[in-house]
Amino acid sequence: MEFEVNGARREVDVDDDPAAVEVVRDRLGLTGTKLVCAGGVCGACTIQVDGEPRVSCLTPAVALAGRRITTVEGLGGHPVTRAFAGEDALQCGYCTPGFVVEAAAFHDRWRAEHGTARPGREQVADALAGHLCRCGAYEGIHSAVAAACAGEYDEEYVDGEARAVPRAEAPAKIDGSARYTTDLRPEGLLEGVIIRSPHAHAHVRSLEAGDVPIVPLLPPDGVVRYVGQPVAAVAATDRAAGPGAAARGGRARGGGPAAPGAPPPRPPLL
């Protein structure tokens, strides 16, 4: 599959049907795009596809074929990046690239339609509604986006001098070059996957994952009592192999009675 990433033509193999975030992070090495929730609710993995923000954890990689992709690494020099540094719009920085990618798209739309008029807080909040900052840096984030839209960070230099930033590490956290534990892939690294019960009540008879390491997480009686309860943890050589092992993970019988004294229904297999 061929597509454009940050202005360069790239070609990758997507026969194993990966998510876009896996291609961006693991195959292209653009680790500024963070995989956090894997459910499209936190925004940390946001990329731009033909200029439109999209969560890459829910986007199939094949949907990027022939498209123009921009990650946070491709936004160097954008006014939003300077504004995030200048307004101290971050703390740990893990969610910051996703905010920056979304904010940059909003900034470009806003400037095209409104010039340097400052957007209101509600307009900025609506634009960033799909993003979560667990450090709670929202005040700085709102200020940064509004200031960038108002043109306050159009210039890299002020009176011939580079802008001062409150945090020395801010530029690296904003442009995606900061390296976190999840961005490191030493030789022999394994990917962990939690097998969770699809049933509200079942008895797990066995757990099998072939040659993949597996750690049971069941209570002593082997009974799961709610949908999503952890059953086991498996470790695989890559993220794609983990779910495969999880799918082979176990067999269960059970199912609680509908009322006290009633015989339990014949349960499905887990």
Side-chain angles (χ1 to χ4, degrees), residues 107-216:
H107 166 278
D108 295 347
R109 294 194 307 270
W110 181 267
R111 293 290 289 269
E113 297 175 9
H114 306 283
T116 56
R118 179 181 291 268
R121 183 180 178 87
E122 289 186 3
Q123 292 163 310
V124 174
D126 286 345
L128 303 179
H131 293 259
L132 299 176
C133 173
R134 291 170 175 81
C135 296
Y138 295 111
E139 288 298 323
I141 292 170
H142 289 154
S143 296
V145 177
C149 289
E152 297 176 16
Y153 286 86
D154 284 358
E155 302 299 328
E156 183 175 359
Y157 295 93
V158 178
D159 297 330
E161 296 185 2
R163 294 175 179 272
V165 296
R167 296 175 189 266
E169 78 279 10
K173 290 179 176 179
I174 292 167
D175 67 17
S177 61
R179 303 284 279 177
Y180 296 81
T181 303
T182 54
D183 300 327
L184 306 177
R185 299 194 64 84
E187 184 177 356
L189 178 71
L190 297 177
E191 294 278 353
V193 176
I194 302 296
I195 305 172
R196 298 182 181 275
S197 173
H199 304 297
H201 196 170
H203 182 251
V204 179
R205 299 192 306 182
S206 65
L207 289 169
E208 301 173 2
D211 57 355
V212 175
I214 184 169
V215 178

Side-chain angles (χ1 to χ4, degrees), residues 14-16 20 29 34 65 67 98 155 204 208 211 234 239 253:
V14 294
D15 289 344
D16 55 340
K34 304 301 185 189
R67 312 294 287 275
E155 302 299 328
V204 179
E208 301 173 2
D211 57 355
V234 298
R239 194 173 294 117
R253 282 204 180 279

Side-chain angles (χ1 to χ4, degrees), residues 29-52:
L30 299 171
T31 55
T33 303
K34 304 301 185 189
L35 177 59
V36 180
C37 71
V41 298
C42 76
C45 68
T46 301
I47 60 176
Q48 291 181 16
V49 180
D50 293 335
E52 293 296 323

Side-chain angles (χ1 to χ4, degrees), residues 18-25 33 47 55-62 64:
V21 66
E22 296 179 52
V23 169
V24 170
R25 284 182 56 82
T33 303
I47 60 176
V55 287
S56 58
C57 67
L58 297 183
T59 302
V62 294
L64 306 183

Side-chain angles (χ1 to χ4, degrees), residues 27 54 72 140 147 151 157 197 243 252 258:
R27 305 183 190 186
R54 185 176 298 183
V72 71
Y157 295 93
S197 173

Side-chain angles (χ1 to χ4, degrees), residues 196-203 223-229 254-256 267-268 270:
R196 298 182 181 275
S197 173
H199 304 297
H201 196 170
H203 182 251
V223 176
V224 293
R225 294 174 170 83
Y226 60 90
V227 173
Q229 180 174 336
L270 172 62

